[in-house]
Amino acid sequence: MRRTDPEGHGPVRYGPELPGDGLPVLAETAEVLAEAAHRAGEQPAGGGTALREAACGYWERRGLPVTPGAVAAGPGAAALLVAVTAAVGGDVLVPRPCAAWWAPYARLLGRPVFHVATPAESGGVPDPYALLETVRRVRAEGGDPRLLVLSVADDPTGTVAPPELLHETVEAATGAGLRLVSDETWRDTVHRPHGTVLLSPAEMLPDRVTVVADLAGALLPPGWPAAVARFPAGAAGDDLHARVLDVLTALGARVAEPVARAAGYVLGEPAPVTWRRTAAVRLHARVAAAVHTAVVGAGALARPPQAGRHLYADLGPLRSALAAHGVGDAQELEDFLSARLGMPAPGGHRFGDGLAELRVRLATGPLLGGTDQERTECLTSPSPLELPHVQRALSHLRSVFDDLRDDAQRRESPR
């Protein structure tokens, strides 16, 4: 069961998790959860009033005003996406590559999933012409495409789609009669917030876009599952919201009360949360840039990361060296690099790329140390890359890729 099927999509239970930041829980957030630990219950389906109002404030500060009646909360973004997919119906379109958990959940509902070609610099937002051609082809074959899932700050590629491409893709989706889900889990992890323009599709198409954000992206630990969804205003949005609540109720997908309290606290963005998020983003940006330098220096291909805690690399140029280690596809690459690096390195087939493509996602969190003390030191140090444990981790990563580069050069040099 570890082997992927012919389309290159691994079994659901082997999909990579949302990459954690590797940092200890913020003390103030832990205190909020601890104070509510005696509350054994769950919030109602869709979240309680206080949590939804906190989400409204969060989106208001980002230029996306919404009322509590158009917000829903769930135990992680997966539950919300399942509910939206079930409520919208029809076939699902996603970029190639895309977040590992998008396609499996649609398939669990029996919904066909179609990947759309995506420019390398705009991972998460498909090419508008490829989108229209995919819609045309699917309909010609008797399919019923209704939903496009995309992200402007992307997992796995770490790129941020330029506004002009996003506009064209949103217009194409509108013309094709599609509804959109914008996964904005990583929007608050942009590495250069003052130099990168990030727009939400909901700003361009307010009556057709549902925004989903998993708080594990920038605000909560992945082990505290909480996510929020913002629905369009108007009758269609109200109907979709009501149907999503029905699905969440049927699934029993409710947020535990202590986690809901913590989620409401971080959504309010008090000073400790804002400081911690800014420091964490800055730290991961530095480490991601160092990883990018190491990977590209070894001859692999990778876009400079712009957001998140990960890097997406194409090791195709090192294929000859990898073949000598028995690596011929993405699953074998995943096994090989995970063992050599000593950390998870999910192959590109987990994200919808072809099994034959030698692509991999590398996360920055595992490079920050093995103890809370080391990881906290990373967060507070003015020069985290100079810390001994970070230097050792990066040096090991560089050596693994440099060895592959040297192997490839030896094989290509004339005898």
Side-chain angles (χ1 to χ4, degrees), residues 172-199:
T174 304
L178 301 176
R179 285 194 167 275
L180 285 83
V181 168
S182 177
D183 180 357
E184 300 186 8
T185 293
W186 301 102
R187 70 165 295 155
D188 293 329
T189 67
V190 173
H191 296 173
R192 297 176 60 243
H194 300 297
T196 303
V197 178
L198 186 150
L199 295 179

mmCIF file of all heavy atoms in Angstrom, residues 172-199:
data_model
loop_
_atom_site.group_PDB
_atom_site.id
_atom_site.type_symbol
_atom_site.label_atom_id
_atom_site.label_comp_id
_atom_site.label_asym_id
_atom_site.label_seq_id
_atom_site.Cartn_x
_atom_site.Cartn_y
_atom_site.Cartn_z
ATOM 1 N N ALA A 172 -11.576 33.683 -15.866
ATOM 2 C CA ALA A 172 -11.820 32.457 -16.628
ATOM 3 C C ALA A 172 -12.758 31.525 -15.866
ATOM 4 O O ALA A 172 -13.673 30.924 -16.448
ATOM 5 C CB ALA A 172 -10.493 31.754 -16.918
ATOM 6 N N ALA A 173 -12.541 31.412 -14.551
ATOM 7 C CA ALA A 173 -13.405 30.554 -13.738
ATOM 8 C C ALA A 173 -14.840 31.068 -13.739
ATOM 9 O O ALA A 173 -15.800 30.280 -13.810
ATOM 10 C CB ALA A 173 -12.869 30.475 -12.310
ATOM 11 N N THR A 174 -14.992 32.387 -13.660
ATOM 12 C CA THR A 174 -16.334 32.988 -13.686
ATOM 13 C C THR A 174 -17.028 32.680 -15.005
ATOM 14 O O THR A 174 -18.191 32.264 -15.035
ATOM 15 C CB THR A 174 -16.244 34.508 -13.497
ATOM 16 O OG1 THR A 174 -15.557 34.798 -12.289
ATOM 17 C CG2 THR A 174 -17.629 35.130 -13.437
ATOM 18 N N GLY A 175 -16.296 32.875 -16.098
ATOM 19 C CA GLY A 175 -16.872 32.615 -17.406
ATOM 20 C C GLY A 175 -17.259 31.159 -17.597
ATOM 21 O O GLY A 175 -18.192 30.845 -18.347
ATOM 22 N N ALA A 176 -16.546 30.266 -16.917
ATOM 23 C CA ALA A 176 -16.833 28.834 -17.028
ATOM 24 C C ALA A 176 -17.901 28.379 -16.044
ATOM 25 O O ALA A 176 -18.255 27.199 -16.012
ATOM 26 C CB ALA A 176 -15.550 28.034 -16.806
ATOM 27 N N GLY A 177 -18.424 29.310 -15.224
ATOM 28 C CA GLY A 177 -19.486 28.968 -14.287
ATOM 29 C C GLY A 177 -19.024 28.184 -13.076
ATOM 30 O O GLY A 177 -19.815 27.448 -12.469
ATOM 31 N N LEU A 178 -17.769 28.326 -12.692
ATOM 32 C CA LEU A 178 -17.238 27.578 -11.559
ATOM 33 C C LEU A 178 -17.385 28.365 -10.259
ATOM 34 O O LEU A 178 -17.338 29.588 -10.250
ATOM 35 C CB LEU A 178 -15.746 27.284 -11.775
ATOM 36 C CG LEU A 178 -15.353 26.494 -13.022
ATOM 37 C CD1 LEU A 178 -13.841 26.386 -13.105
ATOM 38 C CD2 LEU A 178 -15.991 25.112 -13.012
ATOM 39 N N ARG A 179 -17.535 27.624 -9.164
ATOM 40 C CA ARG A 179 -17.377 28.195 -7.833
ATOM 41 C C ARG A 179 -15.929 28.001 -7.408
ATOM 42 O O ARG A 179 -15.264 27.057 -7.862
ATOM 43 C CB ARG A 179 -18.321 27.544 -6.829
ATOM 44 C CG ARG A 179 -19.765 27.990 -6.970
ATOM 45 C CD ARG A 179 -20.593 27.584 -5.766
ATOM 46 N NE ARG A 179 -21.875 28.263 -5.756
ATOM 47 C CZ ARG A 179 -22.085 29.473 -5.256
ATOM 48 N NH1 ARG A 179 -21.077 30.142 -4.698
ATOM 49 N NH2 ARG A 179 -23.267 30.030 -5.278
ATOM 50 N N LEU A 180 -15.451 28.869 -6.528
ATOM 51 C CA LEU A 180 -14.062 28.794 -6.118
ATOM 52 C C LEU A 180 -13.940 28.643 -4.612
ATOM 53 O O LEU A 180 -14.721 29.228 -3.854
ATOM 54 C CB LEU A 180 -13.295 30.058 -6.541
ATOM 55 C CG LEU A 180 -12.923 30.198 -8.016
ATOM 56 C CD1 LEU A 180 -14.103 30.748 -8.810
ATOM 57 C CD2 LEU A 180 -11.723 31.125 -8.162
ATOM 58 N N VAL A 181 -12.943 27.855 -4.203
ATOM 59 C CA VAL A 181 -12.491 27.828 -2.819
ATOM 60 C C VAL A 181 -11.058 28.339 -2.817
ATOM 61 O O VAL A 181 -10.206 27.820 -3.544
ATOM 62 C CB VAL A 181 -12.540 26.415 -2.211
ATOM 63 C CG1 VAL A 181 -11.797 26.390 -0.874
ATOM 64 C CG2 VAL A 181 -13.980 25.983 -2.013
ATOM 65 N N SER A 182 -10.799 29.367 -2.039
ATOM 66 C CA SER A 182 -9.462 29.922 -1.904
ATOM 67 C C SER A 182 -8.882 29.462 -0.574
ATOM 68 O O SER A 182 -9.340 29.888 0.490
ATOM 69 C CB SER A 182 -9.501 31.455 -1.977
ATOM 70 O OG SER A 182 -8.216 32.009 -1.768
ATOM 71 N N ASP A 183 -7.894 28.568 -0.639
ATOM 72 C CA ASP A 183 -7.222 28.102 0.577
ATOM 73 C C ASP A 183 -6.171 29.149 0.951
ATOM 74 O O ASP A 183 -5.140 29.279 0.284
ATOM 75 C CB ASP A 183 -6.567 26.746 0.320
ATOM 76 C CG ASP A 183 -5.850 26.196 1.549
ATOM 77 O OD1 ASP A 183 -5.815 26.898 2.588
ATOM 78 O OD2 ASP A 183 -5.316 25.083 1.480
ATOM 79 N N GLU A 184 -6.426 29.902 2.013
ATOM 80 C CA GLU A 184 -5.532 30.989 2.415
ATOM 81 C C GLU A 184 -4.826 30.684 3.729
ATOM 82 O O GLU A 184 -4.526 31.578 4.528
ATOM 83 C CB GLU A 184 -6.318 32.306 2.448
ATOM 84 C CG GLU A 184 -6.887 32.624 1.067
ATOM 85 C CD GLU A 184 -7.574 33.975 0.933
ATOM 86 O OE1 GLU A 184 -7.499 34.787 1.883
ATOM 87 O OE2 GLU A 184 -8.187 34.218 -0.138
ATOM 88 N N THR A 185 -4.532 29.396 3.906
ATOM 89 C CA THR A 185 -3.830 28.954 5.106
ATOM 90 C C THR A 185 -2.491 29.658 5.282
ATOM 91 O O THR A 185 -2.087 29.982 6.401
ATOM 92 C CB THR A 185 -3.617 27.433 5.040
ATOM 93 O OG1 THR A 185 -4.892 26.786 5.116
ATOM 94 C CG2 THR A 185 -2.715 26.928 6.161
ATOM 95 N N TRP A 186 -1.799 29.929 4.167
ATOM 96 C CA TRP A 186 -0.433 30.453 4.239
ATOM 97 C C TRP A 186 -0.332 31.949 3.950
ATOM 98 O O TRP A 186 0.785 32.463 3.811
ATOM 99 C CB TRP A 186 0.457 29.678 3.267
ATOM 100 C CG TRP A 186 0.489 28.209 3.558
ATOM 101 C CD1 TRP A 186 -0.175 27.218 2.896
ATOM 102 C CD2 TRP A 186 1.206 27.567 4.620
ATOM 103 N NE1 TRP A 186 0.080 25.999 3.469
ATOM 104 C CE2 TRP A 186 0.927 26.181 4.532
ATOM 105 C CE3 TRP A 186 2.047 28.022 5.626
ATOM 106 C CZ2 TRP A 186 1.465 25.255 5.420
ATOM 107 C CZ3 TRP A 186 2.585 27.090 6.508
ATOM 108 C CH2 TRP A 186 2.305 25.737 6.399
ATOM 109 N N ARG A 187 -1.442 32.662 3.874
ATOM 110 C CA ARG A 187 -1.379 34.070 3.483
ATOM 111 C C ARG A 187 -0.611 34.918 4.490
ATOM 112 O O ARG A 187 -0.033 35.946 4.114
ATOM 113 C CB ARG A 187 -2.769 34.650 3.254
ATOM 114 C CG ARG A 187 -3.634 34.845 4.494
ATOM 115 C CD ARG A 187 -4.826 35.750 4.161
ATOM 116 N NE ARG A 187 -4.395 37.089 3.804
ATOM 117 C CZ ARG A 187 -5.094 37.929 3.040
ATOM 118 N NH1 ARG A 187 -6.263 37.549 2.554
ATOM 119 N NH2 ARG A 187 -4.635 39.132 2.771
ATOM 120 N N ASP A 188 -0.583 34.521 5.761
ATOM 121 C CA ASP A 188 0.124 35.306 6.777
ATOM 122 C C ASP A 188 1.567 34.866 6.963
ATOM 123 O O ASP A 188 2.219 35.256 7.927
ATOM 124 C CB ASP A 188 -0.613 35.216 8.116
ATOM 125 C CG ASP A 188 -1.967 35.888 8.072
ATOM 126 O OD1 ASP A 188 -2.117 36.865 7.317
ATOM 127 O OD2 ASP A 188 -2.879 35.429 8.778
ATOM 128 N N THR A 189 2.084 34.054 6.026
ATOM 129 C CA THR A 189 3.468 33.593 6.127
ATOM 130 C C THR A 189 4.318 34.092 4.966
ATOM 131 O O THR A 189 5.379 33.535 4.676
ATOM 132 C CB THR A 189 3.545 32.061 6.186
ATOM 133 O OG1 THR A 189 3.119 31.514 4.922
ATOM 134 C CG2 THR A 189 2.671 31.502 7.305
ATOM 135 N N VAL A 190 3.874 35.149 4.290
ATOM 136 C CA VAL A 190 4.654 35.712 3.180
ATOM 137 C C VAL A 190 5.979 36.235 3.718
ATOM 138 O O VAL A 190 6.013 36.979 4.699
ATOM 139 C CB VAL A 190 3.857 36.826 2.472
ATOM 140 C CG1 VAL A 190 4.716 37.527 1.428
ATOM 141 C CG2 VAL A 190 2.614 36.241 1.813
ATOM 142 N N HIS A 191 7.071 35.862 3.083
ATOM 143 C CA HIS A 191 8.397 36.174 3.595
ATOM 144 C C HIS A 191 8.739 37.660 3.529
ATOM 145 O O HIS A 191 9.446 38.179 4.391
ATOM 146 C CB HIS A 191 9.444 35.373 2.819
ATOM 147 C CG HIS A 191 9.308 33.896 3.007
ATOM 148 N ND1 HIS A 191 10.051 32.979 2.288
ATOM 149 C CD2 HIS A 191 8.524 33.153 3.834
ATOM 150 C CE1 HIS A 191 9.732 31.751 2.664
ATOM 151 N NE2 HIS A 191 8.800 31.827 3.591
ATOM 152 N N ARG A 192 8.255 38.325 2.491
ATOM 153 C CA ARG A 192 8.513 39.770 2.352
ATOM 154 C C ARG A 192 7.171 40.473 2.195
ATOM 155 O O ARG A 192 6.779 40.870 1.102
ATOM 156 C CB ARG A 192 9.413 40.039 1.150
ATOM 157 C CG ARG A 192 10.808 39.427 1.259
ATOM 158 C CD ARG A 192 11.648 39.643 0.006
ATOM 159 N NE ARG A 192 11.834 41.062 -0.271
ATOM 160 C CZ ARG A 192 11.392 41.693 -1.354
ATOM 161 N NH1 ARG A 192 10.663 41.029 -2.252
ATOM 162 N NH2 ARG A 192 11.623 42.966 -1.536
ATOM 163 N N PRO A 193 6.444 40.662 3.301
ATOM 164 C CA PRO A 193 5.080 41.212 3.198
ATOM 165 C C PRO A 193 5.016 42.608 2.600
ATOM 166 O O PRO A 193 3.975 42.995 2.053
ATOM 167 C CB PRO A 193 4.584 41.199 4.654
ATOM 168 C CG PRO A 193 5.816 41.127 5.487
ATOM 169 C CD PRO A 193 6.821 40.359 4.684
ATOM 170 N N HIS A 194 6.099 43.373 2.701
ATOM 171 C CA HIS A 194 6.081 44.721 2.141
ATOM 172 C C HIS A 194 6.558 44.750 0.694
ATOM 173 O O HIS A 194 6.490 45.787 0.038
ATOM 174 C CB HIS A 194 6.954 45.648 2.993
ATOM 175 C CG HIS A 194 6.497 45.760 4.419
ATOM 176 N ND1 HIS A 194 5.269 46.285 4.770
ATOM 177 C CD2 HIS A 194 7.092 45.381 5.576
ATOM 178 C CE1 HIS A 194 5.131 46.235 6.092
ATOM 179 N NE2 HIS A 194 6.221 45.689 6.599
ATOM 180 N N GLY A 195 7.040 43.610 0.194
ATOM 181 C CA GLY A 195 7.510 43.568 -1.182
ATOM 182 C C GLY A 195 6.749 42.594 -2.053
ATOM 183 O O GLY A 195 7.027 42.476 -3.251
ATOM 184 N N THR A 196 5.779 41.875 -1.483
ATOM 185 C CA THR A 196 4.996 40.895 -2.228
ATOM 186 C C THR A 196 3.523 41.266 -2.159
ATOM 187 O O THR A 196 2.973 41.441 -1.076
ATOM 188 C CB THR A 196 5.188 39.486 -1.643
ATOM 189 O OG1 THR A 196 6.583 39.153 -1.658
ATOM 190 C CG2 THR A 196 4.419 38.450 -2.459
ATOM 191 N N VAL A 197 2.909 41.411 -3.311
ATOM 192 C CA VAL A 197 1.474 41.741 -3.371
ATOM 193 C C VAL A 197 0.677 40.444 -3.328
ATOM 194 O O VAL A 197 0.841 39.573 -4.189
ATOM 195 C CB VAL A 197 1.142 42.525 -4.647
ATOM 196 C CG1 VAL A 197 -0.354 42.820 -4.703
ATOM 197 C CG2 VAL A 197 1.943 43.817 -4.702
ATOM 198 N N LEU A 198 -0.156 40.305 -2.315
ATOM 199 C CA LEU A 198 -1.002 39.123 -2.187
ATOM 200 C C LEU A 198 -2.455 39.573 -2.163
ATOM 201 O O LEU A 198 -2.860 40.346 -1.307
ATOM 202 C CB LEU A 198 -0.651 38.347 -0.921
ATOM 203 C CG LEU A 198 -1.362 36.993 -0.731
ATOM 204 C CD1 LEU A 198 -0.491 36.037 0.059
ATOM 205 C CD2 LEU A 198 -2.697 37.169 -0.011
ATOM 206 N N LEU A 199 -3.210 39.083 -3.117
ATOM 207 C CA LEU A 199 -4.640 39.380 -3.190
ATOM 208 C C LEU A 199 -5.427 38.093 -3.001
ATOM 209 O O LEU A 199 -4.988 37.013 -3.389
ATOM 210 C CB LEU A 199 -4.999 40.008 -4.534
ATOM 211 C CG LEU A 199 -4.409 41.379 -4.854
ATOM 212 C CD1 LEU A 199 -4.868 41.830 -6.238
ATOM 213 C CD2 LEU A 199 -4.815 42.402 -3.807
#
